[in-house]
Amino acid sequence: MVTLEDARRIIAAAEKKAAEIGQPMNIAVVDGGGNLVAHVRMDGAWIGSIDISIKKAWTSRAFDITTQDLATHSQSGGQFFGIHASNEGKVMVFAGGIPLKKDGKVVGGIGVSGGSGEQDSTVAQAGEAAF
Amino acid sequence: MVTLEDARRIIAAAEKKAAEIGQPMNIAVVDGGGNLVAHVRMDGAWIGSIDISIKKAWTSRAFDITTQDLATHSQSGGQFFGIHASNEGKVMVFAGGIPLKKDGKVVGGIGVSGGSGEQDSTVAQAGEAAF
Amino acid sequence: MVTLEDARRIIAAAEKKAAEIGQPMNIAVVDGGGNLVAHVRMDGAWIGSIDISIKKAWTSRAFDITTQDLATHSQSGGQFFGIHASNEGKVMVFAGGIPLKKDGKVVGGIGVSGGSGEQDSTVAQAGEAAF
Amino acid sequence: MVTLEDARRIIAAAEKKAAEIGQPMNIAVVDGGGNLVAHVRMDGAWIGSIDISIKKAWTSRAFDITTQDLATHSQSGGQFFGIHASNEGKVMVFAGGIPLKKDGKVVGGIGVSGGSGEQDSTVAQAGEAAF
């Protein structure tokens, strides 16, 4: 279970980190079914990243993996190359999505988009740490 | 302009009304470009209404009209019947979406989904009033 | 939670009923997140109903309602007319989808497609009763 | 012809192998028309792999080839690079899909998704062997 209260705490921590590094972000949280619980777009964040943040969160839950790790298997020549064409284009294979775990079990995901892959990851990690 | 701070104030007012009437809701706010600023799904709200709340907000901005009013023109026999097939399915023609205005100009939209048409409208109005 | 074992028991009961009424069916079961647990197409059942059965199951979970009841609100003039255009076309507004409940809470859905609305409903009810 | 009885025998064999290697899987079987006959998601298997398993089965039938073999031609620089963008995104170009043959003729396909490429292939082979 990821409640709306959980999602807000996660998003608040991610926003704080985004402000610290000076990069406005889209931040999304999904529950165990991969369904959106909450999303925010910080003022000035890219509008093309609304969709990406939501899909990164979904991807992390859908495959129980960070999208950064998934990326390493999904490049040309990798064992999962082509996975980005599945699920109606919902699979994001670049950094910024992290599974949310409780007692070792994946129960949701956070997705962040709006900066470089490293920035997105840093902000997502801050969010995840607040879960 | 609809800032994230605006969106949060609007959502807070809508959530308060939803709690009062005892119906958990999805609530979404879009800016003047029709792009999502924030979304929340209250605990227990329908997962099928995530998409609908976002699209109601978009529709209200896209046509500068409440989705309830748009509905009256979009039934079979009406002048806009079939509009729901346009815009890749983003046009919602039932109550719950309201334009957000500043100085008489539409600058965004709120969309609510999770109950009857009347409940959705009531909650959306509470949100709009907080803008 | 709807386990694969649950889904198989539900499907077996639905298949038995379909055989009794002499109409081969597509039968699908989704979990609480709306995600498919299992699907079967009985020999001779319509191939166009594969998709419909899965989407009826999803719809019942997504809105906590039978698709037969949703139909009554989704006709032209009804409060939910146009809902079939939402969720990328996943909302089915005709009979054959029933929520699966545990302790009064919706935790999944069954969807049946392959015959008349009445036949689909009858088979779905038989499946639901086995949960 | 791939009957539902065939599909169940194939799936049972694949499930047995998946249990042996300790990796829960999505398993799908399609018929000669590429249309789904049956799908199961084992408890704990990735929800993002529902779609992939069905599309791997389709791909194997659609091109009369294992998706592992198709992968070798579909990487950047290969003769089929870009094929994953065709057919509305239904073409999966990574291991886990195998054609089902009868008297040397392809009459269906099995698709498995939920682990590494090697695991998916191993489980799909076990399923195919039961046909």
Side-chain angles (χ1 to χ4, degrees):
Chain A
M1 273 297 291
V2 177
T3 65
L4 177 53
E5 194 184 322
D6 291 329
R8 282 187 161 132
R9 196 174 61 250
I10 292 164
I11 288 173
E15 264 187 274
K16 190 162 170 287
K17 177 60 75 179
E20 270 172 39
I21 65 172
Q23 188 65 29
M25 294 286 187
N26 280 272
I27 307 160
V29 173
V30 301
D31 65 14
N35 297 301
L36 189 62
V37 180
H39 162 271
V40 303
R41 173 161 51 102
M42 295 171 69
D43 296 343
W46 299 334
I47 57 176
S49 283
I50 298 167
D51 179 74
I52 294 174
S53 65
I54 296 171
K55 289 179 176 170
K56 282 182 182 170
W58 181 86
T59 301
S60 293
R61 167 58 194 101
F63 300 103
D64 293 5
I65 194 171
T66 66
T67 55
Q68 185 164 32
D69 283 348
L70 186 58
T72 66
H73 301 294
S74 305
Q75 306 302 310
S76 186
Q79 64 172 327
F80 292 152
F81 173 68
I83 199 172
H84 61 283
S86 76
N87 286 281
E88 317 300 328
K90 280 199 291 181
V91 180
M92 295 291 104
V93 296
F94 49 110
I98 300 181
L100 297 172
K101 296 189 184 183
K102 195 160 269 180
D103 306 323
K105 197 170 166 292
V106 177
V107 295
I110 176 173
V112 173
S113 182
S116 66
E118 198 180 322
Q119 290 176 318
D120 291 355
S121 277
T122 299
V123 171
Q125 283 159 8
E128 187 224 358
F131 182 47
Chain B
M1 276 294 294
V2 177
T3 64
L4 177 53
E5 194 184 322
D6 290 330
R8 283 190 161 132
R9 195 174 61 251
I10 291 164
I11 287 174
E15 264 187 273
K16 189 163 171 285
K17 177 59 75 179
E20 272 174 39
I21 66 172
Q23 188 66 25
M25 294 287 187
N26 281 271
I27 307 161
V29 173
V30 301
D31 65 13
N35 299 300
L36 189 63
V37 180
H39 162 271
V40 302
R41 172 160 52 104
M42 296 171 68
D43 296 342
W46 299 333
I47 57 176
S49 284
I50 298 167
D51 180 76
I52 295 173
S53 65
I54 296 171
K55 289 180 175 166
K56 282 181 180 171
W58 181 87
T59 302
S60 293
R61 168 58 194 101
F63 299 104
D64 293 3
I65 194 172
T66 66
T67 56
Q68 184 163 33
D69 283 350
L70 185 59
T72 65
H73 301 294
S74 304
Q75 303 303 311
S76 184
Q79 64 173 326
F80 291 152
F81 173 70
I83 198 172
H84 62 280
S86 75
N87 288 278
E88 318 296 328
K90 281 199 291 183
V91 181
M92 295 291 103
V93 295
F94 50 110
I98 300 181
L100 297 172
K101 296 187 184 184
K102 195 158 270 180
D103 305 325
K105 196 169 168 293
V106 176
V107 295
I110 176 173
V112 173
S113 182
S116 67
E118 199 181 321
Q119 290 175 317
D120 291 355
S121 278
T122 299
V123 171
Q125 284 158 8
E128 186 222 0
F131 182 49
Chain C
M1 275 297 292
V2 177
T3 65
L4 177 53
E5 193 183 324
D6 290 329
R8 283 189 160 131
R9 194 175 61 250
I10 291 163
I11 288 173
E15 265 187 272
K16 188 162 172 283
K17 179 58 76 178
E20 271 172 39
I21 66 172
Q23 188 65 28
M25 294 286 187
N26 280 272
I27 308 160
V29 173
V30 302
D31 65 15
N35 297 301
L36 189 63
V37 180
H39 162 272
V40 302
R41 173 162 52 102
M42 295 171 69
D43 295 342
W46 300 333
I47 58 177
S49 283
I50 298 167
D51 181 75
I52 295 174
S53 65
I54 296 171
K55 289 179 175 170
K56 282 182 181 172
W58 180 86
T59 301
S60 293
R61 167 57 194 102
F63 300 102
D64 294 5
I65 194 172
T66 66
T67 56
Q68 184 163 34
D69 282 349
L70 185 58
T72 65
H73 300 293
S74 305
Q75 305 303 310
S76 186
Q79 65 172 326
F80 293 151
F81 173 68
I83 198 172
H84 62 283
S86 76
N87 288 280
E88 317 300 327
K90 280 199 290 181
V91 180
M92 294 293 103
V93 295
F94 50 107
I98 300 181
L100 297 172
K101 296 187 185 183
K102 195 158 269 178
D103 305 325
K105 197 170 166 292
V106 176
V107 294
I110 177 173
V112 173
S113 182
S116 67
E118 198 181 322
Q119 289 175 317
D120 291 355
S121 277
T122 299
V123 171
Q125 284 159 6
E128 186 223 358
F131 183 47
Chain D
M1 275 296 292
V2 176
T3 64
L4 177 53
E5 194 184 322
D6 291 330
R8 283 187 161 136
R9 195 175 60 249
I10 292 164
I11 288 173
E15 264 187 275
K16 189 162 170 286
K17 177 60 73 179
E20 270 173 39
I21 65 172
Q23 188 66 27
M25 294 286 187
N26 281 270
I27 306 161
V29 173
V30 302
D31 65 14
N35 298 300
L36 188 63
V37 180
H39 161 271
V40 302
R41 172 160 52 104
M42 294 171 69
D43 295 343
W46 299 334
I47 57 177
S49 284
I50 298 166
D51 180 75
I52 295 174
S53 64
I54 296 171
K55 288 180 176 167
K56 281 182 181 171
W58 181 86
T59 301
S60 293
R61 168 60 194 97
F63 300 103
D64 292 4
I65 193 171
T66 66
T67 56
Q68 185 163 31
D69 283 348
L70 186 59
T72 65
H73 301 294
S74 305
Q75 303 302 309
S76 184
Q79 63 173 328
F80 292 151
F81 174 69
I83 199 172
H84 62 280
S86 75
N87 287 279
E88 318 295 328
K90 281 199 288 182
V91 181
M92 296 290 104
V93 296
F94 50 111
I98 299 181
L100 296 171
K101 296 187 184 183
K102 193 159 271 179
D103 306 324
K105 195 170 168 291
V106 177
V107 296
I110 176 172
V112 173
S113 183
S116 67
E118 199 181 320
Q119 289 175 317
D120 292 355
S121 277
T122 299
V123 171
Q125 284 159 8
E128 186 222 359
F131 183 47

